[in-house]
Amino acid sequence: VLTRKPTNLAVATNPAHEITILESDIPEPGPEQCLVHVRATGICGSDVHFWKHGCIGDSIITKDCGLGHESAGIVIKTGSNVKKLKIGDRVAIEAGIPCSKPTCDYCRTGRYNGCPDIIFYSSPPVDGTLRRYHAHSEAWLHRIPDNVSYEEGALLEPLSVALAGIERSGLRLGDPLVICGAGPIGIVTLLAAHAAGAAPIVITDLDEGRLKVAKSLVPRVRTVQISTDKSAQNIAEEIKSALGQEAKLVMECTGVESSIHSAIYATRFGGTVFIIGVGSKSMHQYPFMHASFREIDIRFQFRYMETYAKAITLVSEGLIDLKPLVTHRFSLEQAQEAFEAASTPAAKAIKVQLLDD
Ligand code: NAD
Ligand code: ZN
Protein backbone atom coordinates (compact mmCIF):
# COMPACT_ATOMS: atom_id res chain seq x y z
CA VAL A 1 0.00 0.00 0.00
CA LEU A 2 1.35 3.38 -1.05
CA THR A 3 0.27 5.06 2.16
CA ARG A 4 2.54 7.89 3.04
CA LYS A 5 0.77 8.58 6.30
CA PRO A 6 0.34 5.74 8.78
CA THR A 7 -2.91 6.78 10.42
CA ASN A 8 -6.35 6.89 8.89
CA LEU A 9 -8.15 9.98 10.19
CA ALA A 10 -11.88 10.53 9.79
CA VAL A 11 -13.85 13.66 10.65
CA ALA A 12 -17.08 12.81 12.41
CA THR A 13 -19.88 14.21 14.51
CA ASN A 14 -21.81 12.63 17.38
CA PRO A 15 -25.05 13.04 19.36
CA ALA A 16 -23.27 15.61 21.60
CA HIS A 17 -22.90 17.89 18.54
CA GLU A 18 -19.12 17.73 18.51
CA ILE A 19 -16.74 17.63 15.58
CA THR A 20 -14.32 14.80 16.32
CA ILE A 21 -11.29 13.40 14.56
CA LEU A 22 -11.33 9.61 14.77
CA GLU A 23 -8.44 7.28 14.08
CA SER A 24 -9.25 4.01 12.40
CA ASP A 25 -7.60 1.20 10.48
CA ILE A 26 -6.83 1.70 6.83
CA PRO A 27 -9.58 -0.25 5.05
CA GLU A 28 -8.74 -3.17 2.79
CA PRO A 29 -10.48 -2.64 -0.57
CA GLY A 30 -12.97 -5.36 -1.53
CA PRO A 31 -12.51 -7.17 -4.89
CA GLU A 32 -14.50 -4.49 -6.78
CA GLN A 33 -13.16 -1.57 -4.77
CA CYS A 34 -10.23 0.82 -4.83
CA LEU A 35 -8.55 2.29 -1.80
CA VAL A 36 -8.48 6.06 -2.27
CA HIS A 37 -6.26 8.55 -0.51
CA VAL A 38 -8.80 11.36 -0.24
CA ARG A 39 -7.02 14.62 -1.08
CA ALA A 40 -9.85 17.18 -0.97
CA THR A 41 -13.30 17.20 0.60
CA GLY A 42 -15.75 20.08 0.65
CA ILE A 43 -18.05 20.81 3.57
CA CYS A 44 -21.71 20.82 2.52
CA GLY A 45 -24.56 22.52 4.36
CA SER A 46 -25.84 19.04 5.25
CA ASP A 47 -22.59 18.22 7.08
CA VAL A 48 -23.02 21.39 9.14
CA HIS A 49 -26.68 20.54 9.74
CA PHE A 50 -25.85 17.01 11.01
CA TRP A 51 -23.29 18.54 13.35
CA LYS A 52 -25.48 21.36 14.70
CA HIS A 53 -28.91 19.66 14.68
CA GLY A 54 -28.10 15.93 14.76
CA CYS A 55 -30.51 14.98 12.00
CA ILE A 56 -31.90 15.69 8.56
CA GLY A 57 -35.41 14.28 8.22
CA ASP A 58 -35.28 10.61 9.18
CA SER A 59 -31.46 10.47 9.11
CA ILE A 60 -30.41 10.79 12.73
CA ILE A 61 -26.95 10.88 14.34
CA THR A 62 -27.21 8.23 17.08
CA LYS A 63 -23.47 7.48 17.36
CA ASP A 64 -20.18 8.68 15.90
CA CYS A 65 -20.82 9.27 12.21
CA GLY A 66 -18.24 10.32 9.65
CA LEU A 67 -19.11 13.40 7.58
CA GLY A 68 -18.47 14.52 4.01
CA HIS A 69 -19.50 13.45 0.52
CA GLU A 70 -17.75 15.96 -1.76
CA SER A 71 -14.40 14.24 -2.26
CA ALA A 72 -11.63 13.55 -4.72
CA GLY A 73 -8.36 11.68 -4.29
CA ILE A 74 -5.88 9.23 -5.72
CA VAL A 75 -6.15 5.46 -6.07
CA ILE A 76 -3.46 3.80 -3.92
CA LYS A 77 -4.59 0.18 -4.03
CA THR A 78 -6.98 -1.84 -6.19
CA GLY A 79 -9.11 -4.90 -5.43
CA SER A 80 -8.58 -8.12 -7.40
CA ASN A 81 -11.54 -7.53 -9.80
CA VAL A 82 -10.89 -3.88 -10.50
CA LYS A 83 -10.86 -3.46 -14.27
CA LYS A 84 -10.46 0.14 -15.36
CA LEU A 85 -8.69 2.01 -12.61
CA LYS A 86 -5.09 1.60 -11.56
CA ILE A 87 -2.84 2.82 -8.80
CA GLY A 88 -2.03 6.49 -9.32
CA ASP A 89 -5.31 7.37 -11.05
CA ARG A 90 -6.83 10.59 -9.75
CA VAL A 91 -10.55 10.22 -9.12
CA ALA A 92 -13.69 12.04 -8.02
CA ILE A 93 -15.81 10.00 -5.64
CA GLU A 94 -19.52 9.69 -6.41
CA ALA A 95 -20.86 9.33 -2.89
CA GLY A 96 -24.18 7.61 -3.60
CA ILE A 97 -23.97 3.93 -4.55
CA PRO A 98 -27.30 2.54 -5.75
CA CYS A 99 -28.08 -1.18 -5.57
CA SER A 100 -27.75 -1.59 -9.39
CA LYS A 101 -29.87 -4.79 -9.26
CA PRO A 102 -31.99 -5.62 -12.30
CA THR A 103 -34.92 -6.12 -9.91
CA CYS A 104 -34.73 -2.45 -8.86
CA ASP A 105 -37.06 -0.42 -11.08
CA TYR A 106 -35.15 2.79 -10.46
CA CYS A 107 -31.72 1.37 -11.15
CA ARG A 108 -32.93 -0.57 -14.18
CA THR A 109 -34.72 2.41 -15.73
CA GLY A 110 -31.90 4.87 -15.22
CA ARG A 111 -33.29 6.80 -12.25
CA TYR A 112 -30.70 5.49 -9.85
CA ASN A 113 -30.88 8.51 -7.52
CA GLY A 114 -34.32 7.13 -6.59
CA CYS A 115 -32.95 3.70 -5.63
CA PRO A 116 -34.49 2.84 -2.24
CA ASP A 117 -31.37 0.87 -1.31
CA ILE A 118 -28.84 3.54 -2.25
CA ILE A 119 -25.92 3.86 0.14
CA PHE A 120 -25.07 7.51 0.47
CA TYR A 121 -21.83 8.17 2.30
CA SER A 122 -22.32 10.66 5.16
CA SER A 123 -26.02 9.86 5.55
CA PRO A 124 -26.12 8.17 8.99
CA PRO A 125 -25.46 5.41 9.83
CA VAL A 126 -23.14 5.37 6.79
CA ASP A 127 -19.89 7.23 7.42
CA GLY A 128 -18.75 9.92 5.02
CA THR A 129 -15.74 10.39 2.77
CA LEU A 130 -14.14 13.16 4.85
CA ARG A 131 -11.30 10.88 5.85
CA ARG A 132 -7.77 10.15 4.74
CA TYR A 133 -8.26 6.64 3.35
CA HIS A 134 -11.56 5.46 1.93
CA ALA A 135 -12.42 2.22 0.10
CA HIS A 136 -14.93 2.82 -2.71
CA SER A 137 -16.54 0.77 -5.45
CA GLU A 138 -14.63 1.22 -8.72
CA ALA A 139 -17.89 1.76 -10.59
CA TRP A 140 -18.56 4.96 -8.61
CA LEU A 141 -15.10 6.48 -8.97
CA HIS A 142 -14.62 8.85 -11.90
CA ARG A 143 -11.14 9.40 -13.28
CA ILE A 144 -10.25 13.10 -13.52
CA PRO A 145 -7.70 14.39 -16.06
CA ASP A 146 -4.48 16.13 -15.05
CA ASN A 147 -5.92 19.59 -15.66
CA VAL A 148 -8.67 19.05 -13.06
CA SER A 149 -7.36 19.56 -9.52
CA TYR A 150 -8.46 17.59 -6.46
CA GLU A 151 -10.26 20.72 -5.23
CA GLU A 152 -12.21 20.90 -8.48
CA GLY A 153 -12.75 17.14 -8.34
CA ALA A 154 -14.46 17.55 -4.96
CA LEU A 155 -16.60 20.39 -6.35
CA LEU A 156 -17.95 18.06 -9.04
CA GLU A 157 -20.43 16.89 -6.39
CA PRO A 158 -22.27 20.21 -5.95
CA LEU A 159 -21.85 20.84 -9.67
CA SER A 160 -23.63 17.51 -10.23
CA VAL A 161 -26.65 18.81 -8.34
CA ALA A 162 -26.82 21.84 -10.65
CA LEU A 163 -26.29 19.77 -13.81
CA ALA A 164 -29.00 17.32 -12.81
CA GLY A 165 -31.39 20.20 -12.18
CA ILE A 166 -30.56 21.97 -15.41
CA GLU A 167 -30.92 18.75 -17.39
CA ARG A 168 -34.39 18.01 -15.99
CA SER A 169 -35.52 21.64 -16.11
CA GLY A 170 -35.20 21.63 -19.90
CA LEU A 171 -33.26 24.92 -19.92
CA ARG A 172 -32.58 26.12 -23.48
CA LEU A 173 -30.30 28.65 -25.11
CA GLY A 174 -31.68 32.15 -24.60
CA ASP A 175 -34.13 31.25 -21.84
CA PRO A 176 -34.67 34.09 -19.32
CA LEU A 177 -33.64 32.55 -16.02
CA VAL A 178 -33.81 33.48 -12.34
CA ILE A 179 -31.65 31.73 -9.77
CA CYS A 180 -32.74 32.17 -6.15
CA GLY A 181 -29.85 31.99 -3.68
CA ALA A 182 -26.14 32.56 -4.29
CA GLY A 183 -24.75 29.90 -1.96
CA PRO A 184 -22.52 27.18 -3.43
CA ILE A 185 -25.49 25.48 -5.11
CA GLY A 186 -26.85 28.73 -6.56
CA ILE A 187 -23.39 29.67 -7.79
CA VAL A 188 -22.65 26.34 -9.50
CA THR A 189 -26.13 26.56 -11.01
CA LEU A 190 -25.21 30.03 -12.29
CA LEU A 191 -21.95 28.78 -13.80
CA ALA A 192 -23.71 25.87 -15.48
CA ALA A 193 -26.65 27.97 -16.72
CA HIS A 194 -24.23 30.58 -18.06
CA ALA A 195 -22.36 27.85 -19.93
CA ALA A 196 -25.70 26.48 -21.20
CA GLY A 197 -26.63 29.85 -22.70
CA ALA A 198 -29.43 31.01 -20.41
CA ALA A 199 -29.99 34.73 -20.99
CA PRO A 200 -30.63 37.04 -19.34
CA ILE A 201 -29.90 35.67 -15.87
CA VAL A 202 -30.89 37.17 -12.52
CA ILE A 203 -29.55 35.83 -9.23
CA THR A 204 -30.94 36.73 -5.79
CA ASP A 205 -29.62 36.52 -2.25
CA LEU A 206 -30.05 38.22 1.10
CA ASP A 207 -26.32 38.71 1.31
CA GLU A 208 -24.64 41.40 -0.76
CA GLY A 209 -21.25 39.67 -0.47
CA ARG A 210 -22.55 36.50 -2.11
CA LEU A 211 -24.12 38.53 -4.93
CA LYS A 212 -20.75 40.21 -5.49
CA VAL A 213 -19.11 36.79 -5.77
CA ALA A 214 -21.75 35.76 -8.33
CA LYS A 215 -21.14 38.95 -10.32
CA SER A 216 -17.37 38.48 -10.22
CA LEU A 217 -17.74 34.97 -11.65
CA VAL A 218 -20.33 35.82 -14.31
CA PRO A 219 -20.19 39.58 -15.01
CA ARG A 220 -23.34 39.55 -17.13
CA VAL A 221 -25.51 38.24 -14.29
CA ARG A 222 -28.01 40.73 -12.85
CA THR A 223 -28.32 40.70 -9.08
CA VAL A 224 -31.27 41.38 -6.78
CA GLN A 225 -30.64 41.69 -3.07
CA ILE A 226 -33.65 40.40 -1.16
CA SER A 227 -34.91 42.08 1.99
CA THR A 228 -37.24 39.81 3.89
CA ASP A 229 -39.50 42.63 5.08
CA LYS A 230 -40.94 42.97 1.57
CA SER A 231 -43.85 40.90 0.29
CA ALA A 232 -43.23 38.03 -2.12
CA GLN A 233 -45.15 39.94 -4.83
CA ASN A 234 -42.97 43.02 -4.37
CA ILE A 235 -39.82 40.94 -4.51
CA ALA A 236 -41.12 39.28 -7.68
CA GLU A 237 -41.62 42.75 -9.22
CA GLU A 238 -37.98 43.60 -8.48
CA ILE A 239 -36.83 40.30 -9.97
CA LYS A 240 -38.92 40.79 -13.13
CA SER A 241 -37.69 44.33 -13.56
CA ALA A 242 -34.06 43.19 -13.27
CA LEU A 243 -34.77 40.41 -15.78
CA GLY A 244 -36.67 42.80 -18.06
CA GLN A 245 -39.47 40.25 -18.36
CA GLU A 246 -41.07 37.35 -16.54
CA ALA A 247 -38.94 34.27 -16.03
CA LYS A 248 -39.37 31.24 -18.22
CA LEU A 249 -37.53 29.26 -15.59
CA VAL A 250 -36.60 29.83 -11.96
CA MET A 251 -33.95 27.59 -10.44
CA GLU A 252 -34.70 27.84 -6.73
CA CYS A 253 -31.55 27.19 -4.67
CA THR A 254 -32.58 28.24 -1.15
CA GLY A 255 -35.49 25.99 -0.20
CA VAL A 256 -36.87 28.95 1.75
CA GLU A 257 -40.67 29.19 1.50
CA SER A 258 -40.84 32.95 0.90
CA SER A 259 -38.23 32.67 -1.86
CA ILE A 260 -40.33 29.98 -3.56
CA HIS A 261 -43.33 32.33 -3.33
CA SER A 262 -41.43 35.11 -5.12
CA ALA A 263 -40.21 32.53 -7.64
CA ILE A 264 -43.80 31.54 -8.46
CA TYR A 265 -44.88 35.19 -8.80
CA ALA A 266 -41.91 36.00 -11.06
CA THR A 267 -42.65 33.16 -13.52
CA ARG A 268 -44.49 33.60 -16.81
CA PHE A 269 -47.57 31.66 -17.93
CA GLY A 270 -46.44 28.11 -18.67
CA GLY A 271 -43.04 28.62 -17.04
CA THR A 272 -41.31 26.43 -14.49
CA VAL A 273 -40.18 26.84 -10.91
CA PHE A 274 -37.53 24.19 -10.47
CA ILE A 275 -36.73 23.66 -6.80
CA ILE A 276 -33.26 22.41 -5.91
CA GLY A 277 -33.17 24.03 -2.44
CA VAL A 278 -34.35 21.94 0.47
CA GLY A 279 -34.24 24.35 3.40
CA SER A 280 -35.35 23.07 6.78
CA LYS A 281 -39.18 23.06 6.86
CA SER A 282 -41.07 19.90 6.00
CA MET A 283 -44.35 21.70 5.12
CA HIS A 284 -44.81 24.71 2.84
CA GLN A 285 -47.81 26.71 1.65
CA TYR A 286 -47.80 27.92 -1.95
CA PRO A 287 -49.84 30.46 -3.94
CA PHE A 288 -51.93 27.69 -5.44
CA MET A 289 -54.45 29.76 -7.38
CA HIS A 290 -51.75 31.91 -8.98
CA ALA A 291 -49.68 28.89 -10.03
CA SER A 292 -52.76 27.05 -11.27
CA PHE A 293 -54.15 29.93 -13.36
CA ARG A 294 -50.75 30.41 -14.95
CA GLU A 295 -49.93 26.72 -15.58
CA ILE A 296 -46.71 27.06 -13.66
CA ASP A 297 -44.86 23.77 -13.31
CA ILE A 298 -43.36 23.31 -9.85
CA ARG A 299 -40.71 20.64 -9.92
CA PHE A 300 -38.02 19.24 -7.63
CA GLN A 301 -34.54 17.74 -7.78
CA PHE A 302 -33.17 14.99 -5.54
CA ARG A 303 -29.38 14.74 -5.77
CA TYR A 304 -28.25 13.66 -9.26
CA MET A 305 -27.56 10.79 -11.56
CA GLU A 306 -25.24 10.31 -14.54
CA THR A 307 -23.70 13.74 -14.08
CA TYR A 308 -20.04 13.09 -13.32
CA ALA A 309 -18.80 12.42 -16.85
CA LYS A 310 -20.40 15.64 -18.07
CA ALA A 311 -19.20 17.60 -15.05
CA ILE A 312 -15.61 16.46 -15.65
CA THR A 313 -15.80 17.41 -19.34
CA LEU A 314 -17.27 20.85 -18.61
CA VAL A 315 -14.49 21.61 -16.12
CA SER A 316 -11.59 20.13 -18.08
CA GLU A 317 -12.73 21.81 -21.32
CA GLY A 318 -12.90 25.16 -19.53
CA LEU A 319 -16.65 25.81 -19.82
CA ILE A 320 -17.03 25.94 -16.05
CA ASP A 321 -14.35 27.29 -13.70
CA LEU A 322 -14.91 25.95 -10.20
CA LYS A 323 -11.58 27.08 -8.76
CA PRO A 324 -12.72 30.44 -7.30
CA LEU A 325 -15.39 28.70 -5.21
CA VAL A 326 -12.87 27.36 -2.71
CA THR A 327 -12.40 30.25 -0.29
CA HIS A 328 -11.09 28.40 2.78
CA ARG A 329 -8.65 25.49 3.05
CA PHE A 330 -7.79 23.42 6.14
CA SER A 331 -6.00 20.21 7.02
CA LEU A 332 -7.92 17.22 8.43
CA GLU A 333 -6.45 18.04 11.83
CA GLN A 334 -8.05 21.50 11.58
CA ALA A 335 -11.54 20.05 11.13
CA GLN A 336 -13.01 22.07 14.00
CA GLU A 337 -11.81 25.35 12.47
CA ALA A 338 -13.02 24.24 9.08
CA PHE A 339 -16.53 23.57 10.37
CA GLU A 340 -16.54 26.89 12.24
CA ALA A 341 -15.59 28.69 9.02
CA ALA A 342 -18.29 26.83 7.08
CA SER A 343 -20.98 27.74 9.62
CA THR A 344 -20.06 31.32 10.58
CA PRO A 345 -21.48 33.89 8.11
CA ALA A 346 -18.79 36.39 9.13
CA ALA A 347 -16.16 34.03 7.69
CA LYS A 348 -17.62 34.87 4.24
CA ALA A 349 -16.90 31.37 2.99
CA ILE A 350 -18.34 30.03 -0.22
CA LYS A 351 -16.78 26.57 -0.10
CA VAL A 352 -14.59 25.30 2.73
CA GLN A 353 -12.42 22.30 1.88
CA LEU A 354 -10.24 19.98 3.93
CA LEU A 355 -7.10 18.99 2.10
CA ASP A 356 -4.58 16.23 2.74
CA ASP A 357 -1.35 15.50 0.91
P1 NAD B 1 -26.41 27.92 1.48
O1 NAD B 1 -27.19 27.97 2.73
O2 NAD B 1 -24.94 28.17 1.51
O3 NAD B 1 -27.02 28.96 0.43
C1 NAD B 1 -28.34 29.39 0.46
C2 NAD B 1 -28.32 30.86 0.08
O4 NAD B 1 -29.67 31.31 0.01
C3 NAD B 1 -27.62 31.73 1.13
O5 NAD B 1 -26.60 32.50 0.51
C4 NAD B 1 -28.75 32.59 1.68
O6 NAD B 1 -28.33 33.91 2.01
C5 NAD B 1 -29.73 32.60 0.53
N1 NAD B 1 -31.10 32.90 0.93
C6 NAD B 1 -31.76 32.57 2.06
N2 NAD B 1 -33.02 33.04 2.05
C7 NAD B 1 -33.17 33.68 0.86
C8 NAD B 1 -34.25 34.36 0.24
N3 NAD B 1 -35.44 34.49 0.86
N4 NAD B 1 -34.06 34.89 -0.99
C9 NAD B 1 -32.87 34.77 -1.61
N5 NAD B 1 -31.80 34.14 -1.07
C10 NAD B 1 -31.95 33.59 0.15
O7 NAD B 1 -26.72 26.50 0.84
P2 NAD B 1 -26.17 25.77 -0.49
O8 NAD B 1 -25.09 24.85 -0.13
O9 NAD B 1 -25.95 26.75 -1.57
O10 NAD B 1 -27.45 24.88 -0.80
C11 NAD B 1 -28.64 25.52 -1.22
C12 NAD B 1 -29.84 24.63 -0.98
O11 NAD B 1 -29.74 23.49 -1.83
C13 NAD B 1 -29.95 24.09 0.43
O12 NAD B 1 -31.32 24.17 0.84
C14 NAD B 1 -29.54 22.65 0.30
O13 NAD B 1 -30.16 21.83 1.25
C15 NAD B 1 -30.04 22.34 -1.08
N6 NAD B 1 -29.42 21.18 -1.72
C16 NAD B 1 -30.24 20.37 -2.40
C17 NAD B 1 -29.75 19.27 -3.03
C18 NAD B 1 -30.69 18.39 -3.79
O14 NAD B 1 -30.35 17.26 -4.07
N7 NAD B 1 -31.85 18.87 -4.17
C19 NAD B 1 -28.38 18.99 -2.98
C20 NAD B 1 -27.54 19.87 -2.31
C21 NAD B 1 -28.08 20.98 -1.68
ZN1 ZN C 1 -31.57 0.18 -6.92
Side-chain angles (χ1 to χ4, degrees):
V1 182
L2 293 169
T3 48
R4 281 182 288 142
K5 297 182 179 179
T7 50
N8 190 10
L9 300 183
V11 177
T13 190
N14 60 27
H17 305 290
E18 294 166 319
I19 292 293
T20 56
I21 300 171
L22 308 176
E23 276 189 30
S24 64
D25 293 339
I26 298 172
E28 196 51 44
E32 325 279 339
Q33 288 186 321
C34 297
L35 181 64
V36 178
H37 179 179
V38 179
R39 300 288 295 272
T41 303
I43 297 179
C44 166
S46 64
D47 297 312
V48 171
H49 200 87
F50 277 126
W51 164 43
K52 298 257 181 190
H53 303 281
C55 63
I56 294 180
D58 298 335
S59 286
I60 301 168
I61 304 281
T62 54
K63 57 181 178 61
D64 284 326
C65 188
L67 295 165
H69 52 265
E70 303 177 359
S71 295
I74 183 166
V75 172
I76 57 171
K77 191 174 184 181
T78 53
S80 54
N81 285 344
V82 165
K83 302 273 189 306
K84 290 194 241 163
L85 291 174
K86 56 183 192 312
I87 290 172
D89 281 342
R90 299 163 65 258
V91 289
I93 298 175
E94 183 166 352
I97 301 190
C99 77
S100 301
K101 289 186 185 136
T103 48
C104 173
D105 288 345
Y106 298 101
C107 286
R108 200 186 60 249
T109 60
R111 297 294 293 269
Y112 69 75
N113 52 334
C115 172
D117 297 321
I118 197 164
I119 291 169
F120 196 85
Y121 288 90
S122 81
S123 194
V126 185
D127 290 316
T129 59
L130 178 45
R131 50 184 52 235
R132 181 167 287 149
Y133 301 115
H134 170 71
H136 204 79
S137 167
E138 177 192 24
W140 303 96
L141 292 171
H142 305 276
R143 191 183 306 140
I144 54 176
D146 291 343
N147 73 345
V148 176
S149 66
Y150 293 117
E151 295 185 14
E152 294 169 287
L155 281 164
L156 298 175
E157 203 278 348
L159 177 58
S160 281
V161 176
L163 293 184
I166 285 180
E167 175 89 20
R168 288 187 56 243
S169 75
L171 175 71
R172 305 293 289 269
L173 201 63
D175 280 350
L177 171 72
V178 174
I179 298 168
C180 301
I185 295 292
I187 286 181
V188 287
T189 299
L190 170 64
L191 296 174
H194 172 56
I201 306 177
V202 163
I203 194 163
T204 72
D205 205 285
L206 308 173
D207 181 67
E208 196 187 357
R210 287 200 151 175
L211 291 175
K212 281 194 178 137
V213 172
K215 188 97 190 156
S216 74
L217 298 174
V218 178
R220 71 175 173 91
V221 77
R222 306 167 185 189
T223 60
V224 173
Q225 191 177 356
I226 304 296
S227 63
T228 45
D229 52 9
K230 293 188 182 149
S231 73
Q233 282 100 328
N234 284 341
I235 291 170
E237 289 307 320
E238 288 178 26
I239 291 172
K240 286 189 280 183
S241 114
L243 195 65
Q245 59 194 301
E246 294 174 323
K248 181 172 174 203
L249 174 65
V250 180
M251 302 292 287
E252 210 296 324
C253 302
T254 75
V256 171
E257 185 171 346
S258 59
S259 173
I260 299 170
H261 290 181
S262 337
I264 292 171
Y265 289 125
T267 300
R268 64 157 86 148
F269 186 94
T272 301
V273 174
F274 195 95
I275 305 178
I276 295 179
V278 177
S280 52
K281 270 171 62 174
S282 62
M283 287 291 228
H284 282 191
Q285 280 194 318
Y286 289 146
F288 162 78
M289 207 63 92
H290 180 92
S292 169
F293 280 29
R294 308 199 98 207
E295 278 189 8
I296 292 171
D297 288 338
I298 301 177
R299 305 184 59 205
F300 298 90
Q301 184 63 37
F302 181 65
R303 295 181 189 148
Y304 42 81
M305 57 127 222
E306 290 290 312
T307 49
Y308 268 79
K310 273 190 193 173
I312 291 166
T313 302
L314 290 167
V315 173
S316 78
E317 295 281 317
L319 275 83
I320 291 179
D321 182 7
L322 297 172
K323 287 188 285 292
L325 269 66
V326 184
T327 51
H328 293 62
R329 296 169 179 83
F330 296 93
S331 66
L332 289 173
E333 291 83 354
Q334 294 171 312
Q336 182 73 40
E337 287 159 82
F339 274 80
E340 299 291 349
S343 60
T344 310
K348 300 261 169 225
I350 298 294
K351 185 56 76 178
V352 176
Q353 286 192 350
L354 289 97
L355 307 177
D356 195 44
D357 56 16

